[in-house]
């Protein structure tokens, strides 16, 4: 058995070797190149107020640029949306809400089942220590991201998911030990439920929301940051070629819709006849249109959806008349978010999903 000082030296040596291996692997990804880094120009964008200063040459310079860009973005904050409010400084419970609404109910129920199994038959200390070690990084990541000002959806928690799933893996033996055959059957049923809930929205996984949120049809009411990236523009182009609408008003979010063949006009803020294609994110957290611009239309549900992220409306004179009568008299189906801790929405040139 090694002396305490020897154990500490061995641990420090192993940690140093692991760090060196990580840095070497990262450098290999970038072809072992050495490049200069300009702190006033990160990832192709100018940094406001920064002087042009060349650092280096450095290894894996693009990775370092990306890290500095994310740190800068984190200090500035990002235009976010949560439960009908917009903001730049974030919410402490944003990622808790994301986990609650964007993980399957089967996985959530498995976690509850394992906790119940623990309550009935407490685990051995070694098993408990293993679970705590597996969950240490997910919990740390959740705490750090929740404290930040830039909250861009559950994708920022994805590195924690493999360890979280490993922590759920013993649910089957734990439930079987605590509840017998019924616990085993319930575990398998919950696994099947989680898989079915996820596959139900295939191939529209970016817009996955669980039943707490009302599925992908209702989820954007509560959370629509990092879910709608304009991924259905190609489907909109196909729809336009098939239906040939005589006028299409489109609130695109990102990318270049005309690249896919979408011919459109910007939507008006006053009722006008024509066809409308509205992105979910532009309805709830408008970026390219003024807040409330299209609330006259979203009094009613859409006529059709493309991939859950684009809402389609056909507006005639009769519908305009009906919408004007309903507005203020009935609860809107959707409406723009209200500002909580944010100034006016930024222009398109000021924001982009990283």
């Amino acid at each position: 058995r090694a002396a305490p000082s020897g154990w500490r030296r061995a641990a420090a040596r192993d940690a140093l070797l692991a760090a060196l291996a990580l840095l070497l692997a990262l450098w290999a990804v970038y072809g072992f190149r050495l490049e200069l880094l300009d702190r006033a120009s990160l990832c192709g964008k100018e940094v406001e107020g920064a002087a042009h200063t060349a650092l280096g040459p450095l290894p894996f310079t693009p990775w370092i640029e990306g890290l500095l860009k994310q740190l800068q973005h984190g200090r500035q904050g990002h235009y976010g949306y949560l439960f009908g409010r917009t903001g730049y400084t974030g919410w402490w419970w944003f990622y808790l809400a994301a986990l609650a609404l964007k993980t399957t109910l089967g996985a959530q129920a498995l976690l509850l089942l394992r906790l119940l199994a623990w309550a009935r038959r407490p685990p051995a200390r070694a098993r408990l220590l293993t679970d705590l070690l597996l969950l240490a990084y997910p919990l740390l990541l959740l705490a750090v991201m929740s404290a930040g000002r830039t909250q861009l959806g559950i994708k920022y928690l994805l590195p924690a998911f493999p360890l979280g799933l490993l922590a759920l893996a013993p649910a089957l033996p734990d439930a079987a030990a605590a509840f017998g055959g019924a616990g085993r059957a319930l575990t398998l049923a919950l696994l099947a439920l989680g898989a079915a809930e996820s596959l139900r929205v295939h191939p529209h996984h970016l817009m996955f929301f669980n039943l707490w949120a009302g599925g992908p049809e209702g989820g954007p009411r509560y959370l629509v940051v990092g879910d709608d990236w304009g991924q259905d523009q190609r489907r909109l182009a196909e729809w336009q070629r098939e239906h040939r609408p005589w006028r299409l008003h489109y609130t695109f979010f990102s990318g270049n819709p005309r690249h896919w063949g979408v011919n459109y006009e910007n939507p008006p803020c006053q009722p006008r006849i024509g066809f409308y294609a509205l992105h979910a994110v532009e309805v709830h957290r408008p970026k390219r249109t003024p807040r409330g611009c299209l609330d006259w239309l979203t009094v009613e549900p859409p006529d059709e959806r493309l991939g859950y992220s684009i809402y389609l409306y056909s507006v005639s004179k009769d519908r305009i008349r009906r919408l004007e009568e309903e507005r203020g008299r009935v609860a809107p189906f959707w409406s723009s978010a209200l500002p909580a801790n944010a100034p006016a929405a930024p222009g398109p040139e000021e924001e982009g999903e990283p």
Side-chain angles (χ1 to χ4, degrees), residues 30-65:
Y30 290 94
F32 294 105
R33 295 193 305 272
L34 293 171
E35 300 173 285
L36 294 175
L37 184 148
D38 185 357
R39 295 189 61 181
S41 179
L42 299 177
C43 301
K45 294 185 177 180
E46 295 294 319
V47 179
E48 185 178 353
H52 287 277
T53 305
L55 301 178
L58 301 173
F60 44 86
T61 303
W63 186 89
I64 298 174
E65 280 192 21

Side-chain angles (χ1 to χ4, degrees), residues 74-298:
R75 289 192 296 270
Q76 292 174 343
H78 192 91
Y79 190 44
Y81 170 85
L82 184 65
F83 277 62
R85 293 291 186 271
T86 57
Y88 272 99
T89 58
W91 297 265
W92 68 266
W93 55 287
F94 179 92
Y95 285 104
L96 293 175
L99 287 171
L101 300 181
K102 290 189 69 70
T103 57
T104 65
L105 296 189
Q108 295 180 25
L110 277 175
L111 174 61
L112 178 60
L113 178 63
R114 192 162 188 224
L115 293 176
L116 291 175
W118 278 7
R120 183 163 185 171
R121 186 167 180 166
R125 181 174 298 180
R127 169 71 69 83
L128 184 60
L129 179 60
T130 299
D131 288 330
L132 290 176
L133 289 174
L134 284 173
L135 292 175
Y137 173 70
L139 292 174
L140 176 63
L141 182 62
L142 175 64
V144 170
M145 297 308 300
S146 297
R149 297 163 57 93
T150 301
Q151 299 172 336
L152 291 174
I154 200 169
K155 62 182 181 289
Y156 276 56
L157 295 183
L158 290 182
F161 273 61
L163 292 173
L165 292 174
L166 282 175
L168 277 182
L172 182 60
D174 284 359
F179 304 108
R184 184 181 295 106
L186 181 57
T187 302
L188 295 175
L190 292 176
L191 283 170
L193 173 65
E197 189 179 2
S198 178
L199 292 173
R200 185 179 73 89
V201 301
H202 179 79
H204 311 291
H205 298 287
L206 275 175
M207 286 294 289
F208 172 83
F209 289 91
N210 61 31
L211 296 180
W212 296 130
E217 297 90 348
R221 297 175 187 272
Y222 310 105
L223 187 77
V224 64
V225 179
D227 310 290
D228 175 8
W229 286 4
Q231 65 266 24
D232 289 311
Q233 286 181 4
R234 177 180 58 81
R235 292 185 177 89
L236 178 61
E238 293 171 351
W239 177 89
Q240 188 176 36
R241 285 193 294 270
E242 179 182 352
H243 293 83
R244 296 185 178 277
W246 63 277
R247 173 185 286 167
L248 179 65
H249 299 290
Y250 177 41
T251 61
F252 85 96
F253 176 65
S254 63
N256 182 3
R258 301 192 192 280
H259 170 79
W260 299 104
V262 180
N263 296 309
Y264 65 96
E265 301 176 16
N266 292 325
C269 292
Q270 298 298 324
R272 184 185 300 172
I273 62 174
F275 291 85
Y276 290 75
L278 313 180
H279 272 281
V281 67
E282 282 293 312
V283 168
H284 299 284
R285 192 209 67 174
K287 179 179 75 169
R288 300 180 184 273
T289 56
R291 181 180 288 112
C293 171
L294 294 166
D295 286 359
W296 65 267
L297 175 57
T298 56

